[in-house]
Amino acid sequence: MSVENQPAVLQDIHCCPAGAYGWTPLMLTAGLFFLIGFVTWLNGPLISFVRVSFSLDDISAFFIPLVFYFSYFFFAIPASWVITRTGLKRGLSLSLMVMALGMAGTGQFIAAGVYGAALAGLLVLGCGLALLQVAVNPYVSFLGPAQKAAQRIAIMGICNKFAGILAPIVLATLVMGDIEGVAHQAATMTDPAARAALLGQFVQAIYWPYLGMAVLMLLTAGAVALSSLPDIQPPDTASPLSTDTSSPQIRQMLLSPHVLCGIGAMFLYVGVEVMAGDAIGTYAQGFGLPLSQTRFFTALTLTGMLAGYCLGMVCTPRFCSQERYTFYSCMAGAVLSLLAFMAHGYSAVLCVALLGVANAMIFPGLFPTVLKNTGKAAPLVAACLVMAYCGGGIVPQLFVWLKTLFGFQGVFTSLTVTGYALIALYMRRSAV
């Protein structure tokens, strides 16, 4: 993939002096991060919803995050090509329209009782998110001094995680209703027709909320198009993005240990973040905790992440560099994972929720650290980092598969501690 054909959007932003556009771009992108967070963290309660609605086992229900996060792997580089052609402003509007299509399709097909088609809707939704994030994350990273990149991303993270707190509460309240009662009643029914009628009526509740969110995304797309967000365009000489990496400098950068290990660290990070957020309900159900409670537990993790972002904004870079703070966050995450293994019931669930505090500042420190000193290869590296978000689908799927063979607590702790340790090792070496 040639450098010249990478999103010049990112190159131009990198060259912009800090504060060139004032606070307006940050405020607008903060609103987009709120929307990203709301959509992304619907997956936690949605897993419980489809498990009951379609009578699924854990492995099948966790196709929700698997498909959602794998969309980043498939669409990140095509998204870079789109951003090259459209520029930032039109690219953001387009991404929101794609997200609206995916959201409407997901709600429609779940309500129709077609699980496979609903997963296809999630794939489209993830495609729109990939397009949005390929532009937005590097944009925020390069919008000011590099040493404060984590602080700027943390501002976005606060909006993202505040939306993430609201998302499971809203979905659980509007859609899931008496999910525990429905699950119990369906499990005790002997008449297949009556059981299908009960679940068919229950699943209809998701249609209007998802359609409403799709309409909101379309309105947001129009608002972005009419906003004062800088319409940064690539140079006129830019040509479509290709997969040609014949440039020795680009190939050398992509294959460097710093970039390859950074992409691996991002894969692991998104995996452990989704484990703590989307899988916390399944983890809690392993202790026999009721669905009426576990459907809200994703909000606990997101509350922890919100607190972690606020703490990180105060501490970096004032008292601690973003690389060192990320290293400490990984250590805290490993300790909490071990405590969750040694605890039981609500105490163990609380330790998992507190992983949100530890996870909060890993992404804001990791993303700019991997991009550091990548020069003209930064757009391609950024796209590869977004592709690595597929860890959010693979690691939780490993959890639900392995927990059928081993104890769920041991599997959870083994996966998270391994992830934190490898990320910490990467950040330790990058800080040298």
Side-chain angles (χ1 to χ4, degrees), residues 213-304:
M213 285 186 285
V215 172
L216 177 61
M217 289 174 190
L218 288 176
L219 293 175
T220 305
V224 169
L226 298 174
S227 73
S228 58
L229 189 70
D231 191 10
I232 304 173
Q233 296 285 347
D236 293 337
T237 56
S239 57
L241 188 65
S242 72
T243 55
D244 178 21
T245 55
S246 58
S247 168
Q249 295 84 359
I250 298 300
R251 187 166 57 250
Q252 182 179 4
M253 180 60 67
L254 287 175
L255 297 178
S256 67
H258 171 76
V259 171
L260 289 178
C261 292
I263 293 170
M266 183 62 74
F267 175 93
L268 292 171
Y269 165 68
V270 180
V272 297
E273 182 189 78
V274 174
M275 285 277 286
D278 287 350
I280 188 173
T282 301
Y283 184 89
Q285 288 161 28
F287 295 113
L289 300 183
L291 271 170
S292 59
Q293 296 177 11
T294 60
R295 58 178 172 161
F296 294 107
F297 282 178
T298 296
L300 295 178
T301 304
L302 274 296
T303 301

Side-chain angles (χ1 to χ4, degrees), residues 129-401:
L129 279 169
L131 178 60
L132 189 59
Q133 296 213 38
V134 163
V136 168
N137 281 317
Y139 180 81
V140 177
S141 288
F142 295 144
L143 200 56
Q147 66 272 20
K148 291 189 176 182
Q151 195 175 63
R152 291 191 300 277
I153 295 179
I155 294 174
M156 303 299 110
I158 288 174
C159 298
N160 183 282
K161 266 52 187 184
F162 180 68
I165 293 169
L166 293 178
I169 295 174
V170 170
L171 187 66
T173 302
L174 294 181
V175 173
M176 299 177 75
D178 184 22
I179 187 172
E180 188 173 14
V182 171
H184 177 73
Q185 188 177 354
T188 57
M189 281 184 169
T190 57
D191 182 1
R195 186 172 179 272
L198 173 68
L199 295 178
Q201 183 179 5
F202 175 68
V203 82
Q204 292 298 318
I206 205 168
Y207 178 74
W208 287 111
Y210 266 61
L211 184 62
M213 285 186 285
V215 172
L216 177 61
M217 289 174 190
L218 288 176
L219 293 175
T220 305
V224 169
L226 298 174
S227 73
S228 58
L229 189 70
D231 191 10
I232 304 173
Q233 296 285 347
D236 293 337
T237 56
S239 57
L241 188 65
S242 72
T243 55
D244 178 21
T245 55
S246 58
S247 168
Q249 295 84 359
I250 298 300
R251 187 166 57 250
Q252 182 179 4
M253 180 60 67
L254 287 175
L255 297 178
S256 67
H258 171 76
V259 171
L260 289 178
C261 292
I263 293 170
M266 183 62 74
F267 175 93
L268 292 171
Y269 165 68
V270 180
V272 297
E273 182 189 78
V274 174
M275 285 277 286
D278 287 350
I280 188 173
T282 301
Y283 184 89
Q285 288 161 28
F287 295 113
L289 300 183
L291 271 170
S292 59
Q293 296 177 11
T294 60
R295 58 178 172 161
F296 294 107
F297 282 178
T298 296
L300 295 178
T301 304
L302 274 296
T303 301
M305 293 196 79
L306 182 60
Y309 274 117
C310 294
L311 179 63
M313 285 184 61
V314 172
C315 295
T316 60
R318 186 176 305 165
F319 303 114
C320 184
S321 70
Q322 59 194 33
E323 293 86 0
R324 189 171 295 275
Y325 193 93
T326 304
F327 174 80
Y328 292 149
S329 295
C330 291
M331 293 297 97
V335 170
L336 286 167
S337 295
L338 292 171
L339 290 175
F341 177 71
M342 293 183 287
H344 185 80
Y346 289 106
S347 298
V349 172
L350 178 60
C351 290
V352 173
L354 288 174
L355 288 177
V357 180
N359 290 340
M361 289 301 290
I362 297 179
F363 179 88
L366 181 59
F367 200 98
T369 297
V370 181
L371 288 180
K372 185 172 61 178
N373 299 324
T374 55
K376 292 182 178 180
L380 179 56
V381 173
C384 290
L385 285 172
V386 174
M387 290 176 69
Y389 292 1
C390 67
I394 294 175
V395 175
Q397 188 66 219
L398 281 175
F399 166 64
V400 295
W401 180 67

Side-chain angles (χ1 to χ4, degrees), residues 28 42 96 300 409 417:
L28 291 171
L42 287 172
L96 289 165
L300 295 178
Q409 280 187 282
V417 169

